[in-house]
């Protein structure tokens, strides 16, 4: 029988709309992790009593933190951090940036509710050395909230290239709320607020020493991504979410007799002005195309 007792915490931020999907993802992580894990589920405020029951049935090593409980906790802890406090009031992803660290006993993991695990694995939540305090998965581009030229000049944060905050492992002693407050205070870092949380994690990771998991094993799923013997987990973001149902059958296969796959890491390059500039240019081009479609320009005629 698998030992389910653990001090290694993995946190999730879950809403009612995604509760069923999250259930599959939690099951797959529990099933395939060689190391026993403790699940800490953060309710965004929308989970129902039925959702609570289903989540708690994942095992005795599962805990749910209600939105009321987290609000009361963070109200006290953020009293001296006005920009963190304001950000948390206005954006749901602030719970991912702020709450999980305060409500962790030790080093903590975080996993988005749309990451599905396919095969047994080991050493995902393990730092390779003392110089590493943050582990992230790799994105296919540097999706950051900052404009390119904000990387220039003194006292500007450095960013690792292509960080995705869907899956995180962080050394709690190096979680720096003063740095986060400084980062959130600077309006020039907030060009695209939807990416602010991810950018802040990336900047903090660079500051304390970060590495990325092997992108052939922990994959940001694309419409053309195929299964492979080394594929351990897939992050089904919006553009690939429709493919999750097809991959569920792979995840639900009985592979517990297989040898766990070792998750290796590498040191990411720094994100530079050119890289961020190309991301910004593509974003602007996409916005222009969408604007033309909105105006009725170059629309395809369908029968």
């Amino acid at each position: 029988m698998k030992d389910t007792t653990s001090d290694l915490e993995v946190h999730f931020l879950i809403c009612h709309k995604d509760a069923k999907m999250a259930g599959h993802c939690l099951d797959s992580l529990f099933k395939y992790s060689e190391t026993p894990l403790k699940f800490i589920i953060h309710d965004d405020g929308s989970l129902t009593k039925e959702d609570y029951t289903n989540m708690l049935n994942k095992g005795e090593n599962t805990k749910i933190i209600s939105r009321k409980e987290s609000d009361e906790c963070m109200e006290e802890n953020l009293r001296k951090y006005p920009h963190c406090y304001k950000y948390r009031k206005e954006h749901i992803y602030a719970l991912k940036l702020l709450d999980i660290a305060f409500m962790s006993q030790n080093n903590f993991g975080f996993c988005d509710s749309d990451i599905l695990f396919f095969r047994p694995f080991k050493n995902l939540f393990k730092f390779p050395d003392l110089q590493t305090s943050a582990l992230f998965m790799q994105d296919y581009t540097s999706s950051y909230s900052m404009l390119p030229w904000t990387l220039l000049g003194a006292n500007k944060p450095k960013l690792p290239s292509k960080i995705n905050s869907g899956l995180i492992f962080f050394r709690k002693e190096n979680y720096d709320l003063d740095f986060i407050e400084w980062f959130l205070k600077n309006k020039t870092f907030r060009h695209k607020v939807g990416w602010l949380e991810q950018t802040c994690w990336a900047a903090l990771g660079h500051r304390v020493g970060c590495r990325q998991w092997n992108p052939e094993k922990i994959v940001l799923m694309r419409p053309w991504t195929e299964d492979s013997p080394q594929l351990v987990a897939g992050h089904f973001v919006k553009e690939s979410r429709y493919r999750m149902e097809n991959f569920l059958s792979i995840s639900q296969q009985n592979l517990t007799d297989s040898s766990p796959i070792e998750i290796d890491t590498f040191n990411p390059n720094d994100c530079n002005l050119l890289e961020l500039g190309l991301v910004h240019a593509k974003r602007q081009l996409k916005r222009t195309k969408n604007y033309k479609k909105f105006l009725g320009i170059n629309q395809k005629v369908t029968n």
Side-chain angles (χ1 to χ4, degrees), residues 78 81-88 98 177 180-181 184:
L78 296 181
Y81 299 92
H83 295 91
C84 290
Y85 183 87
K86 186 175 186 295
Y87 177 56
R88 190 180 183 277
L98 301 168
L177 190 59
I180 294 173
E181 174 72 8
L184 295 177

Side-chain angles (χ1 to χ4, degrees), residues 60-253:
E60 60 183 17
N61 228 24
T62 300
K63 175 184 176 182
I64 299 178
I65 298 176
S66 70
R67 182 62 186 268
K68 180 181 178 181
E69 182 182 353
S70 62
D71 284 347
E72 290 174 352
C73 173
M74 300 308 291
E75 185 84 21
E76 176 67 24
N77 284 304
L78 296 181
R79 189 168 294 175
K80 297 180 181 179
Y81 299 92
H83 295 91
C84 290
Y85 183 87
K86 186 175 186 295
Y87 177 56
R88 190 180 183 277
K89 285 288 186 181
E90 296 174 349
H91 300 281
I92 191 65
Y93 285 126
L95 276 68
K96 177 176 168 181
L97 177 63
L98 301 168
D99 293 31
I100 62 174
F102 278 101
M103 299 183 183
S104 300
Q105 298 300 315
N106 301 295
N107 300 336
F108 55 88
F110 176 85
C111 185
D112 272 352
S113 59
D114 55 0
I115 296 180
L116 191 66
F117 290 78
F118 308 116
R119 291 172 174 82
F121 63 87
K122 60 182 179 180
N123 295 335
L124 176 65
F125 300 111
K126 182 180 180 180
F127 297 115
D129 51 50
L130 294 176
Q131 290 71 45
T132 302
S133 291
L135 296 175
F136 301 106
M137 65 179 299
Q138 187 183 74
D139 210 320
Y140 50 78
T141 190
S142 291
S143 301
Y144 295 144
S145 61
M146 299 165 60
L147 290 168
W149 45 89
T150 55
L151 293 176
L152 300 175
N155 298 321
K156 299 298 183 182
K158 293 184 178 180
L159 298 171
S161 179
K162 300 179 181 178
I163 291 296
N164 184 284
S165 62
L167 192 62
I168 300 170
F169 188 49
F170 207 92
R171 204 182 296 273
K172 181 168 182 175
E173 65 186 35
N174 287 334
Y175 179 82
D176 189 346
L177 190 59
D178 290 322
F179 175 79
I180 294 173
E181 174 72 8
W182 170 82
F183 191 93
L184 295 177
K185 180 181 179 179
N186 196 318
K187 293 182 179 180
T188 63
F189 303 159
R190 304 168 66 105
H191 178 69
K192 188 172 176 61
V193 178
W195 288 347
L196 182 58
E197 166 263 324
Q198 179 161 280
T199 310
C200 196
W201 274 119
L204 180 58
H206 193 288
R207 181 179 176 85
V208 301
C210 69
R211 294 178 69 86
Q212 289 177 327
W213 288 296
N214 186 332
E216 294 182 357
K217 298 176 181 178
I218 310 296
V219 180
L220 188 69
M221 302 296 285
R222 308 299 298 275
W224 54 84
T225 304
E226 297 182 355
D227 184 33
S228 73
Q230 290 296 301
L231 180 59
V232 168
H235 187 187
F236 290 83
V237 293
K238 186 176 180 180
E239 69 170 18
S240 60
R241 185 73 53 82
Y242 71 95
R243 303 191 65 207
M244 180 178 279
E245 186 173 351
N246 293 333
F247 275 83
L248 271 174
S249 59
I250 297 172
S251 176
Q252 292 169 350
Q253 292 175 19

Side-chain angles (χ1 to χ4, degrees), residues 274-289:
L274 176 59
E275 179 183 352
L276 205 57
L278 289 174
V279 173
H280 179 64
K282 289 179 180 178
R283 192 190 311 167
Q284 292 298 106
L285 181 60
K286 182 178 180 181
R287 183 180 300 172
T288 301
K289 288 181 178 179

